[in-house]
């Protein structure tokens, strides 16, 4: 029993990987605190109209009284302290315009479900299409040419443009209405497809590059010399090795599904998180903008952290003792 | 001195060639061994390799990139010159029909406003157009014949009948007229149950489009004045829907602004944003990157700062800055520069670290070069090609960001056309009528050509600039 405990303790605190993870965690918390402070400071610069839903009709005295009641006239460090205190309690503030008086956390809770559903299905779609495309591009000239045209198009043309055209002509061809309707399964197709396009090109491009690198390595030659069938070399050796560097970004992508896609959700009027940010910006609802920005920033950092940790866990050859390479 | 040597050598070479061409060698000479010449052996030791020459040569091999470079240069030149070309409408001018005063809203693209061609010697009823001295508003309707009023048909034809009404000769459309059994026995009296128009020629020169107020226009220089409000064409000419030979090539938008002018003005704005962002990004990025890479004491601090800043999502910074500051082109450029210089700086830093400790830098230092000299003379020239690549790719992505920010509703105001707000305006329309899709398609077409060209040229240049490809 004692040895189990000490083993566990070593595994959790003593091993190099564990040490690295703890260090990263501490750094991430610190980074997060700094970023939240910066964002909080930036958000204090927002126009004060955004704190009231009937700003034009209010006198200066009432505005000042209200601002004082909200604590916005306090010195900055005091506001910041209160903000972090509330954050630890899980209180994100209340909306003033979008839905007056409702807690931001409640609104987000209602909204993020559909964003996650869309995000996950588009990710799945992108993986199913993007990985085989990348694999084919690494091996066949014709696929490489066609794939490159596709990738150049998706990378070079701003997403807004091809999203609009997909919506315009896609709805014509499928004969459905422009907007998303929960009850009609067909209206899921276009948003999911549009959201996946960028990721398809991303997965294809990187898998191709990593696979080309791997295909030139000695172990492939050895396997071929041994007489391992070509298909098995690709699926059993090359693909697995090439996929490792891509795993790093999967957790980020997964977490980012919570944020939803700003473009897609407002184009198709999907009641999710991405559209929400645009909407609260348009209506100048400061507390909502603030909490959403905070959440999006946190997700980015946490995603990167999990990605790095996942890499060390999956591929023991990778050591993060030194600074990892740039993406 | 240099020139005289070159001249002398050049002359000598020329003379040699002439000599070789003029003297005919005997077969014996041709097949005898040449004597040993040590200077000739030296010649192969010299190579004419130049980095930029090779880069250009290998860039020229990429036909696609070359074509796109050509397209891009023409497009940018045209964008700059467009306001100085003749017959351009203002980008923010709201165009009205002069006679009715209505906005020319959502007019489909037209080359020259042509409505119909009229032959020489056509008599038309004309009125003056306010503000357009060289134009007449015309119609060839001489009179309107009220319903159930008699007029005399003097010549019966298929589509048109020549008639006389109240002493005026003219033509009416042979449409729903009350005709006698024998139409060949002219003249006969006839009437219609509807109002009919008496035309001066066998052509209907009235604009059926009531949106424009029903007026058509003709250039005064093609006509002569007959007095009493009538004019006669002196050559074959065109009757137009708007008093100008220059049409709305890309159509007009919903308040009658010329889309052609707006698209090019928007391209100017977007390219300006793109270039400014690329230049600021390069300047700040290079400055920070070189310090970061070369000055060891700064490395630790700057790396930590980078880790913090890099973790803030770019979109969020763009949105926040655009939200907090008032929307303008400057705000957009500022917001984009704020997020982009970091990538450039990291990139330069990584490159500098690779070449920092090479022997030639050590040698320079031993010879007493200052750090400033090493940075500017030894390190920076090495990076010119990669910097240019980054800048080429920064332009399309800045243009893309502009479209995104405008889409969110935080872009430049509408009186500064940019490709972003043109696309956004076009997008709002397409759900309504398919006939208005041209308002989205033209700006997106220009945008796509620009972004794809920059992207492909940038990548082709990067390949060409890589010395590995210079063999």
């Amino acid at each position: 029993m004692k040895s189990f405990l000490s083993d566990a303790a070593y595994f959790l605190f003593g091993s190099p990987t564990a040490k690295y993870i703890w260090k990263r965690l501490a750094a991430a918390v610190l980074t997060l605190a700094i970023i939240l402070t910066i964002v909080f400071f930036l958000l204090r610069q927002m126009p004060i109209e955004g704190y009231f839903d009937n700003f034009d009709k209010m006198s200066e005295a009432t505005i000042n009284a209200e601002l004082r009641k909200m604590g916005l006239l306090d010195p900055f460090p005091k506001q910041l302290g209160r903000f972090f205190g509330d954050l630890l309690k899980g209180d994100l503030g209340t909306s003033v315009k979008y839905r007056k008086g409702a807690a931001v956390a409640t609104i987000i809770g209602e909204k993020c479900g559909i964003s996650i559903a869309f995000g996950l299905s588009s990710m799945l779609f992108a993986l199913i299409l993007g990985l085989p495309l990348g694999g084919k591009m690494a091996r066949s000239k014709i696929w490489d040419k066609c794939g490159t045209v596709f990738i150049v198009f998706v990378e070079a043309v701003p997403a807004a443009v091809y999203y609009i055209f997909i919506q315009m002509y896609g709805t014509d061809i499928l004969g459905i209405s422009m907007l998303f309707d929960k009850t009609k399964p067909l209206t899921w197709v276009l948003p999911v497809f549009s959201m996946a396009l960028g990721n398809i090109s991303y997965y294809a491009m990187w898998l191709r590059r990593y696979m080309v690198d791997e295909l030139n390595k000695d172990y492939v030659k050895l396997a071929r010399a041994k007489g391992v069938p070509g298909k098995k070399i690709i699926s059993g050796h090359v693909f697995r090795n090439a996929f490792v560097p891509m795993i790093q970004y999967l957790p980020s992508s997964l977490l980012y599904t919570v944020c939803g896609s700003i473009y897609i959700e407002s184009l198709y009027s999907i009641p999710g998180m991405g559209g929400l940010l645009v909407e609260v910006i348009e209506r100048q609802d400061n507390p909502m903008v603030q909490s959403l920005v905070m959440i999006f920033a946190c997700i980015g950092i946490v995603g990167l952290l999990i990605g790095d940790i996942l890499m060390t866990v999956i591929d023991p050859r990778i050591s993060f003792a030194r600074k990892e390479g740039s993406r | 001195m240099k020139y005289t040597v070159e001249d002398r050598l050049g002359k000598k070479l020329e003379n040699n060639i002439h000599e070789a061409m003029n003297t005919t060698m005997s077969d014996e000479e041709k097949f005898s061994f040449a004597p040993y010449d040590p200077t000739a052996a030296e010649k192969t030791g010299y190579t004419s390799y130049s980095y930029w020459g090779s880069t250009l040569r290998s860039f020229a091999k990429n036909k696609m990139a070359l074509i796109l470079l050509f397209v891009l240069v023409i497009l940018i030149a045209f964008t700059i010159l467009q306001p100085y070309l003749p017959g351009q409408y203002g980008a923010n001018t709201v165009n009205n029909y002069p006679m009715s005063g209505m906005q020319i809203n959502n007019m489909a693209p037209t080359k020259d406003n042509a409505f119909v061609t009229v032959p020489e010697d056509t008599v038309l009823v004309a009125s003056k157009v306010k503000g357009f001295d060289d134009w007449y508003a015309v119609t060839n309707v001489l009179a309107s014949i009220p319903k159930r009023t008699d007029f005399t048909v003097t010549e019966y034809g298929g589509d048109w009948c020549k008639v006389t009404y109240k002493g005026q000769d003219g033509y009416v459309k042979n449409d729903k007229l009350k005709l006698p059994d024998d139409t060949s026995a002219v003249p006969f009296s006839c009437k219609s149950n509807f109002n009919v128009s008496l035309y001066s020629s066998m052509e209907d020169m009235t604009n059926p489009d009531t949106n424009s107020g029903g007026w058509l226009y003709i250039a005064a220089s093609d006509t002569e004045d007959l007095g009493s409000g009538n004019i006669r064409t002196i050559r074959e000419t065109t009757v137009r829907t708007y008093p100008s030979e220059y049409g709305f090539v890309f159509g007009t938008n919903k308040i009658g602004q010329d889309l052609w002018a707006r698209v090019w003005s928007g391209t100017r704005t977007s390219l300006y944003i793109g270039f400014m962002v690329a230049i600021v990004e390069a300047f700040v990025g290079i400055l920070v990157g070189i310090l970061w890479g070369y000055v060891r004491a700064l490395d630790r601090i700057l790396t930590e700062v980078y880790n913090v800043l890099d973790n803030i999502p770019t979109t969020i910074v763009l949105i926040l800055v655009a939200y907090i500051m008032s929307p303008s082109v400057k705000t957009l450029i500022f917001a984009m520069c704020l997020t982009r210089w970091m990538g450039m700086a990291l990139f330069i830093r990584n490159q500098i670290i690779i070449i920092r400790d090479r022997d030639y830098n050590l040698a320079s230092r031993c010879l007493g070069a200052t750090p400033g000299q090493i940075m500017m003379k030894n390190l920076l020239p090495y990076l010119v090609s990669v910097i240019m690549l980054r800048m080429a790719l920064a332009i399309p992505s800045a243009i893309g960001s502009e479209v995104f920010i405008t889409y969110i509703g935080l872009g430049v105001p509408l009186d500064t056309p940019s490709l972003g707000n043109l696309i956004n305006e076009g997008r709002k329309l397409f759900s309504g009528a398919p006939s208005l899709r041209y308002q989205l398609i033209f700006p997106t077409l220009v945008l796509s050509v620009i972004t794809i060209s920059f992207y492909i040229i940038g990548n082709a240049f990067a390949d060409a600039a890589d010395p590995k490809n210079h063999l």
Side-chain angles (χ1 to χ4, degrees), chain A residues 295-323:
Chain A
I295 290 169
F296 288 7
C298 293
I299 284 173
I301 296 169
V302 174
L304 214 61
L305 175 72
I306 299 177
D308 283 354
I309 293 174
L310 203 64
M311 287 272 284
T312 43
V313 173
I314 283 179
D315 192 339
R317 290 173 301 179
I318 297 170
S319 147
F320 281 106
R322 289 177 294 127
K323 165 101 183 76

Short mmCIF file of all heavy atoms in Angstrom, two decimals, chain A residues 295-323:
data_model
loop_
_atom_site.label_atom_id
_atom_site.label_comp_id
_atom_site.label_asym_id
_atom_site.label_seq_id
_atom_site.Cartn_x
_atom_site.Cartn_y
_atom_site.Cartn_z
N ILE A 295 -14.43 34.19 -21.94
CA ILE A 295 -14.58 32.74 -22.14
C ILE A 295 -13.77 32.30 -23.35
O ILE A 295 -13.05 31.30 -23.31
CB ILE A 295 -16.07 32.40 -22.32
CG1 ILE A 295 -16.79 32.58 -21.00
CG2 ILE A 295 -16.24 30.97 -22.81
CD1 ILE A 295 -18.28 32.52 -21.11
N PHE A 296 -13.88 33.08 -24.45
CA PHE A 296 -13.16 32.69 -25.67
C PHE A 296 -11.65 32.68 -25.42
O PHE A 296 -10.94 31.79 -25.89
CB PHE A 296 -13.51 33.65 -26.81
CG PHE A 296 -14.92 33.46 -27.34
CD1 PHE A 296 -15.81 32.62 -26.71
CD2 PHE A 296 -15.34 34.14 -28.47
CE1 PHE A 296 -17.10 32.44 -27.17
CE2 PHE A 296 -16.64 33.97 -28.96
CZ PHE A 296 -17.50 33.13 -28.30
N ALA A 297 -11.17 33.68 -24.65
CA ALA A 297 -9.73 33.74 -24.38
C ALA A 297 -9.30 32.53 -23.56
O ALA A 297 -8.28 31.90 -23.86
CB ALA A 297 -9.39 35.03 -23.66
N CYS A 298 -10.09 32.20 -22.54
CA CYS A 298 -9.75 31.05 -21.69
C CYS A 298 -9.68 29.77 -22.52
O CYS A 298 -8.75 28.97 -22.36
CB CYS A 298 -10.80 30.85 -20.61
SG CYS A 298 -10.83 32.16 -19.42
N ILE A 299 -10.66 29.60 -23.38
CA ILE A 299 -10.71 28.36 -24.16
C ILE A 299 -9.45 28.20 -25.00
O ILE A 299 -8.88 27.12 -25.08
CB ILE A 299 -11.98 28.37 -25.04
CG1 ILE A 299 -13.18 28.05 -24.16
CG2 ILE A 299 -11.87 27.34 -26.15
CD1 ILE A 299 -14.48 28.19 -24.86
N GLY A 300 -8.99 29.30 -25.59
CA GLY A 300 -7.78 29.23 -26.40
C GLY A 300 -6.60 28.72 -25.60
O GLY A 300 -5.87 27.83 -26.03
N ILE A 301 -6.43 29.29 -24.41
CA ILE A 301 -5.27 28.92 -23.60
C ILE A 301 -5.36 27.48 -23.11
O ILE A 301 -4.42 26.70 -23.22
CB ILE A 301 -5.16 29.89 -22.41
CG1 ILE A 301 -4.89 31.28 -22.94
CG2 ILE A 301 -4.07 29.46 -21.45
CD1 ILE A 301 -5.02 32.34 -21.92
N VAL A 302 -6.53 27.13 -22.58
CA VAL A 302 -6.71 25.78 -22.06
C VAL A 302 -6.52 24.75 -23.17
O VAL A 302 -5.87 23.71 -22.98
CB VAL A 302 -8.10 25.65 -21.40
CG1 VAL A 302 -8.36 24.21 -20.98
CG2 VAL A 302 -8.21 26.57 -20.21
N GLY A 303 -7.05 25.05 -24.35
CA GLY A 303 -6.93 24.12 -25.47
C GLY A 303 -5.47 23.86 -25.82
O GLY A 303 -5.05 22.71 -26.00
N LEU A 304 -4.69 24.93 -25.88
CA LEU A 304 -3.27 24.78 -26.22
C LEU A 304 -2.55 23.95 -25.17
O LEU A 304 -1.73 23.09 -25.47
CB LEU A 304 -2.64 26.17 -26.32
CG LEU A 304 -1.55 26.32 -27.36
CD1 LEU A 304 -2.08 26.02 -28.74
CD2 LEU A 304 -0.95 27.70 -27.30
N LEU A 305 -2.90 24.22 -23.90
CA LEU A 305 -2.27 23.49 -22.79
C LEU A 305 -2.56 22.00 -22.91
O LEU A 305 -1.65 21.17 -22.86
CB LEU A 305 -2.81 24.04 -21.46
CG LEU A 305 -2.34 23.31 -20.23
CD1 LEU A 305 -0.89 23.63 -19.96
CD2 LEU A 305 -3.18 23.68 -19.02
N ILE A 306 -3.85 21.66 -23.08
CA ILE A 306 -4.20 20.25 -23.17
C ILE A 306 -3.51 19.60 -24.37
O ILE A 306 -3.02 18.48 -24.30
CB ILE A 306 -5.73 20.08 -23.29
CG1 ILE A 306 -6.40 20.65 -22.04
CG2 ILE A 306 -6.11 18.62 -23.44
CD1 ILE A 306 -7.91 20.60 -22.09
N GLY A 307 -3.45 20.36 -25.48
CA GLY A 307 -2.81 19.84 -26.68
C GLY A 307 -1.36 19.48 -26.41
O GLY A 307 -0.90 18.39 -26.76
N ASP A 308 -0.63 20.39 -25.76
CA ASP A 308 0.78 20.12 -25.46
C ASP A 308 0.94 18.91 -24.55
O ASP A 308 1.80 18.06 -24.76
CB ASP A 308 1.41 21.36 -24.80
CG ASP A 308 1.72 22.43 -25.83
OD1 ASP A 308 1.53 22.14 -27.03
OD2 ASP A 308 2.11 23.54 -25.44
N ILE A 309 0.07 18.85 -23.53
CA ILE A 309 0.16 17.73 -22.59
C ILE A 309 -0.12 16.41 -23.30
O ILE A 309 0.59 15.42 -23.14
CB ILE A 309 -0.82 17.95 -21.41
CG1 ILE A 309 -0.34 19.14 -20.58
CG2 ILE A 309 -0.92 16.70 -20.56
CD1 ILE A 309 -1.29 19.54 -19.50
N LEU A 310 -1.15 16.43 -24.16
CA LEU A 310 -1.53 15.24 -24.91
C LEU A 310 -0.35 14.73 -25.74
O LEU A 310 -0.11 13.52 -25.83
CB LEU A 310 -2.71 15.58 -25.82
CG LEU A 310 -3.58 14.42 -26.26
CD1 LEU A 310 -4.26 13.81 -25.06
CD2 LEU A 310 -4.61 14.89 -27.26
N MET A 311 0.38 15.66 -26.32
CA MET A 311 1.53 15.28 -27.14
C MET A 311 2.57 14.52 -26.33
O MET A 311 3.05 13.47 -26.75
CB MET A 311 2.20 16.54 -27.72
CG MET A 311 1.43 17.18 -28.80
SD MET A 311 1.85 16.49 -30.38
CE MET A 311 3.42 17.27 -30.64
N THR A 312 2.90 15.07 -25.15
CA THR A 312 3.92 14.40 -24.33
C THR A 312 3.43 13.02 -23.90
O THR A 312 4.22 12.09 -23.81
CB THR A 312 4.26 15.19 -23.06
OG1 THR A 312 3.05 15.67 -22.51
CG2 THR A 312 5.19 16.32 -23.35
N VAL A 313 2.14 12.93 -23.61
CA VAL A 313 1.61 11.66 -23.13
C VAL A 313 1.61 10.63 -24.26
O VAL A 313 2.01 9.48 -24.08
CB VAL A 313 0.19 11.86 -22.57
CG1 VAL A 313 -0.44 10.51 -22.24
CG2 VAL A 313 0.25 12.73 -21.33
N ILE A 314 1.21 11.05 -25.46
CA ILE A 314 1.06 10.10 -26.55
C ILE A 314 2.39 9.68 -27.15
O ILE A 314 2.63 8.51 -27.42
CB ILE A 314 0.15 10.71 -27.64
CG1 ILE A 314 -1.30 10.64 -27.18
CG2 ILE A 314 0.31 9.97 -28.96
CD1 ILE A 314 -2.25 11.22 -28.14
N ASP A 315 3.27 10.65 -27.36
CA ASP A 315 4.53 10.33 -28.01
C ASP A 315 5.67 10.58 -27.03
O ASP A 315 6.09 11.72 -26.85
CB ASP A 315 4.70 11.19 -29.26
CG ASP A 315 5.83 10.68 -30.11
OD1 ASP A 315 6.71 9.97 -29.56
OD2 ASP A 315 5.85 10.99 -31.31
N PRO A 316 6.17 9.54 -26.39
CA PRO A 316 7.17 9.73 -25.34
C PRO A 316 8.49 10.29 -25.87
O PRO A 316 9.31 10.79 -25.11
CB PRO A 316 7.37 8.33 -24.77
CG PRO A 316 6.78 7.40 -25.76
CD PRO A 316 5.81 8.15 -26.59
N ARG A 317 8.69 10.23 -27.21
CA ARG A 317 9.95 10.76 -27.74
C ARG A 317 10.00 12.28 -27.65
O ARG A 317 11.04 12.89 -27.69
CB ARG A 317 10.12 10.35 -29.19
CG ARG A 317 10.38 8.88 -29.39
CD ARG A 317 10.36 8.54 -30.85
NE ARG A 317 9.06 8.87 -31.44
CZ ARG A 317 8.75 8.69 -32.70
NH1 ARG A 317 9.65 8.22 -33.54
NH2 ARG A 317 7.56 8.99 -33.16
N ILE A 318 8.79 12.88 -27.58
CA ILE A 318 8.76 14.34 -27.58
C ILE A 318 9.00 14.85 -26.18
O ILE A 318 8.35 14.44 -25.23
CB ILE A 318 7.41 14.85 -28.09
CG1 ILE A 318 7.23 14.40 -29.53
CG2 ILE A 318 7.32 16.36 -27.98
CD1 ILE A 318 5.85 14.64 -30.04
N SER A 319 9.95 15.75 -26.07
CA SER A 319 10.21 16.32 -24.76
C SER A 319 10.00 17.82 -24.85
O SER A 319 10.47 18.47 -25.79
CB SER A 319 11.65 16.01 -24.34
OG SER A 319 12.15 17.07 -23.59
N PHE A 320 9.30 18.35 -23.88
CA PHE A 320 9.06 19.78 -23.88
C PHE A 320 9.98 20.50 -22.90
O PHE A 320 9.71 21.62 -22.50
CB PHE A 320 7.61 20.10 -23.56
CG PHE A 320 6.73 19.90 -24.73
CD1 PHE A 320 5.88 18.82 -24.82
CD2 PHE A 320 6.75 20.82 -25.78
CE1 PHE A 320 5.07 18.65 -25.92
CE2 PHE A 320 5.94 20.66 -26.87
CZ PHE A 320 5.10 19.57 -26.95
N ALA A 321 11.05 19.78 -22.51
CA ALA A 321 11.96 20.42 -21.58
C ALA A 321 12.51 21.70 -22.21
O ALA A 321 12.66 22.72 -21.56
CB ALA A 321 13.10 19.48 -21.24
N ARG A 322 12.78 21.61 -23.54
CA ARG A 322 13.17 22.82 -24.25
C ARG A 322 11.91 23.45 -24.81
O ARG A 322 10.84 22.86 -24.82
CB ARG A 322 14.14 22.47 -25.38
CG ARG A 322 15.49 22.06 -24.85
CD ARG A 322 16.39 21.65 -26.00
NE ARG A 322 15.91 20.44 -26.65
CZ ARG A 322 15.69 20.35 -27.95
NH1 ARG A 322 15.87 21.39 -28.71
NH2 ARG A 322 15.29 19.23 -28.47
N LYS A 323 12.06 24.65 -25.30
CA LYS A 323 10.91 25.34 -25.88
C LYS A 323 10.49 24.60 -27.14
O LYS A 323 11.30 24.28 -28.00
CB LYS A 323 11.30 26.78 -26.21
CG LYS A 323 10.36 27.51 -27.11
CD LYS A 323 9.45 28.45 -26.34
CE LYS A 323 8.46 29.14 -27.25
NZ LYS A 323 7.36 28.33 -27.68
#
